[in-house]
Amino acid sequence: MAAYDKADLERRMAGAVEALKHDLVGLRTGRASVNLLDPVTVEVYGAHMPINQVATVSAPEPRLLSVQVWDKTNVGPVDKAIRSAGLGLNPIVDGTTLRLPIPDLTEERRKELAKLSGKYAEAARIAARNVRRDGMDNLKTDEKKGVFGEDERKRHETEVQKLTDATIADIDAAAAAKEKEILGK
């Protein structure tokens, strides 16, 4: 059986782009969004869990997020996770509810968020390159097994490279759009 599977490579590269878009949604642009807390994971019950699995997140006002923690013993870990997530939010604890006022974005904070979006984009590029490497390794393995010859391997390598280039272009476009949104240009 051939180790090279173009459909699997396409799926994995599309997954890298989707993961980036999911991470970029969490970067705020000055207004409250429940997606803002998507990248936050909370250490509870001996495991790291997304915040939406231990609390309900809502945006009751345009500049305020509300996090209703289901188990009162998890209020401290949720508070700590939000503060350490690097989102620039300082929760106000009120029983089992955490209120997160969304501060105005300063120029310095905008630059930090743009840098963070660049970091997310670079991680997605690395993921796409890792998928490319896996595909190239599978092609070489298949050639050694005699599944196909050198000419066919080179043709498939060209396809994999074109797929990688297209994926990285999608990643760059998503990152550039988010950076433009953050910087307000």
Side-chain angles (χ1 to χ4, degrees):
M1 174 154 170
Y4 172 70
D5 183 3
K6 184 178 178 186
D8 182 55
L9 295 177
E10 290 172 344
R11 180 190 57 77
R12 290 172 58 197
M13 286 200 187
V17 174
E18 288 306 311
L20 170 67
K21 288 179 179 177
H22 183 266
D23 287 344
L24 291 179
V25 167
L27 294 179
R28 67 190 172 89
T29 56
R31 59 187 174 275
S33 167
V34 293
N35 298 331
L36 181 62
L37 298 178
D38 282 352
V40 177
T41 58
V42 184
E43 188 175 348
V44 292
Y45 309 121
H48 290 277
M49 304 173 87
I51 196 164
N52 63 2
Q53 291 185 4
V54 295
T56 303
V57 180
S58 62
E61 297 176 23
R63 313 254 319 140
L64 179 73
L65 283 177
S66 176
V67 179
Q68 180 67 45
V69 182
W70 301 327
D71 183 353
K72 66 181 177 183
T73 60
N74 293 336
V75 172
V78 169
D79 179 41
K80 180 181 174 187
I82 293 170
R83 289 179 191 276
S84 64
L87 298 172
L89 300 174
N90 293 313
I92 300 166
V93 180
D94 182 18
T96 59
T97 302
L98 285 83
R99 294 188 196 344
L100 298 132
I102 307 296
D104 288 331
L105 287 177
T106 62
E107 187 63 28
E108 179 183 325
R109 184 66 184 144
R110 288 179 189 272
K111 288 179 182 176
E112 286 177 25
L113 289 173
K115 197 180 291 186
L116 187 57
S117 77
K119 183 176 152 187
Y120 288 162
E122 186 56 30
R125 284 187 208 99
I126 289 169
R129 290 185 198 118
N130 287 339
V131 172
R132 177 187 63 194
R133 184 195 63 228
D134 292 345
M136 297 295 191
D137 290 348
N138 290 342
L139 286 170
K140 289 174 185 168
T141 302
D142 285 349
E143 183 185 11
K144 287 178 185 174
K145 288 181 182 177
V147 175
F148 45 73
E150 182 180 354
D151 290 342
E152 193 171 350
R153 176 186 55 86
K154 288 186 178 188
R155 184 176 57 78
H156 287 306
E157 283 180 349
T158 303
E159 289 175 358
V160 171
Q161 187 58 49
K162 284 181 181 177
L163 178 62
T164 304
D165 293 343
T167 301
I168 289 179
D170 290 346
I171 290 168
D172 291 343
K178 188 62 175 187
E179 188 172 325
K180 182 179 178 184
E181 180 185 344
I182 289 170
L183 296 175
K185 293 181 181 175

